[in-house]
Amino acid sequence: MKAGQKMPLSRLPRRDPRTVARDIPGVLDVLFPRLTGGLVSSLNKKMFSFEGITAVPESLIKKSNLQKAMLFELASARAEDLLRGIFSENWTEYLRLASIRQQKHYDAQIPTSLNEWDIKAAEHAAKNLVTILEIVKGQYPTTSLEHSPLIPGLGWIASGHGDFSLGSILIEVKHTEQNFRSGDFRQVLMYWLLRYARAVEKSSDVWSEVMLINPRRNAALIVSFNYLLKSASAQLNQI
């Protein structure tokens, strides 16, 4: 390419929906001006926990030398196997998968090995996630749990994937030490907008509710997209 020549738009790297929602919030801030601290605090008051599940102890997390993002990416990889009915503890493979996923982030610190505390903390979080999903799935026995539901990019951004879905419920997992944040709600709203646009085009189904799950803290909340959309957008309709 010659000096000063612009790269064609078709060649520009497209970011996935999660990255756009997290790192480029400007458009969504215009669409959802009320997605602020007050609304987020109100939504977080609806959080609940699951019986028979213990939050991952902070003392255990502190013993791990891994970045928190890497630790819980490791937990997610382990949970995926457990959900498939695979119970072999292949932590070398889980580390490989987690490293590939985390390498997408410029600040990721990729470890070469795991210690016993890394494994214990990741295992605890993984089992919490699996148990929570099994409880939720038990409330909808005729509905299949889908892993990595497609989030269409519609030619505007790169397509991506959510964490899980259960029929009309989008399920997103957040392993944070805090309550759910505005960025979490912005992300799922981004997912809904793209899914809704595809539904209009293809006459396909769209999610009616979103469930945010935090296996680290044994916390979750569920909210209808209709309520979330209207509350965050100052009562605008879906169109």
Side-chain angles (χ1 to χ4, degrees):
M1 183 174 293
K2 297 180 180 179
Q5 184 178 355
K6 293 184 179 180
M7 180 183 291
L9 290 177
S10 60
R11 297 185 186 178
L12 290 174
R14 288 179 177 172
R15 304 192 182 193
D16 63 272
R18 182 173 306 204
T19 303
V20 171
R22 184 185 64 238
D23 297 340
I24 315 174
V27 173
L28 295 185
D29 286 343
V30 173
L31 291 174
F32 304 116
R34 292 188 178 177
L35 190 56
T36 57
L39 176 58
V40 172
S41 296
S42 174
L43 292 168
N44 277 317
K45 289 179 180 179
K46 300 178 181 181
M47 283 194 302
F48 57 90
S49 58
F50 296 85
E51 293 184 4
I53 296 177
T54 304
V56 184
E58 286 301 311
S59 58
L60 179 57
I61 294 174
K62 288 179 180 178
K63 289 180 180 179
S64 170
N65 293 324
L66 300 180
Q67 274 185 318
K68 300 301 181 293
M70 173 59 74
L71 176 63
F72 293 111
E73 193 74 74
L74 193 66
S76 295
R78 169 64 169 156
E80 289 166 12
D81 258 10
L82 294 176
L83 288 168
R84 297 187 188 103
I86 301 173
F87 300 102
S88 61
E89 299 184 6
N90 189 350
W91 289 98
T92 300
E93 176 62 11
Y94 300 147
L95 177 58
R96 186 187 72 82
L97 290 173
S99 298
I100 291 173
R101 296 169 184 176
Q102 280 297 299
Q103 281 174 343
K104 298 176 182 178
H105 307 291
Y106 71 93
D107 59 344
Q109 297 176 12
I110 309 301
T112 57
S113 61
L114 303 173
N115 63 39
E116 64 174 310
W117 304 114
D118 301 332
I119 293 173
K120 285 183 177 180
E123 178 78 354
H124 192 146
K127 288 184 175 179
N128 278 4
L129 174 56
V130 171
T131 302
I132 289 172
L133 290 174
E134 288 175 343
I135 292 172
V136 175
K137 174 66 174 66
Q139 298 176 10
Y140 303 87
T142 61
T143 306
S144 298
L145 181 70
E146 180 184 357
H147 182 216
S148 299
L150 177 66
I151 311 297
L154 304 176
W156 173 46
I157 58 176
S159 295
H161 294 273
D163 290 330
F164 301 94
S165 66
L166 186 64
S168 63
I169 303 174
L170 172 65
I171 301 174
E172 282 297 302
V173 181
K174 302 295 178 185
H175 292 275
T176 65
E177 62 181 338
Q178 302 172 339
N179 290 338
F180 301 115
R181 300 175 295 181
S182 60
D184 300 327
F185 295 103
R186 184 187 298 118
Q187 178 186 332
V188 296
L189 284 169
M190 178 77 170
Y191 286 2
W192 188 93
L193 286 171
L194 292 168
R195 187 84 170 203
Y196 180 72
R198 171 56 60 85
V200 171
E201 178 186 12
K202 301 290 186 180
S203 298
S204 55
D205 295 331
V206 67
W207 298 301
S208 61
E209 296 174 293
V210 59
M211 174 176 278
L212 294 175
I213 295 175
N214 187 338
R216 173 177 175 176
R217 296 180 58 196
N218 182 20
L221 67 79
I222 185 167
V223 61
S224 76
F225 270 114
N226 187 51
Y227 174 82
L228 184 57
L229 285 159
K230 286 188 175 181
S231 298
S233 68
Q235 300 298 313
L236 294 177
N237 62 36
Q238 295 180 350
I239 299 298

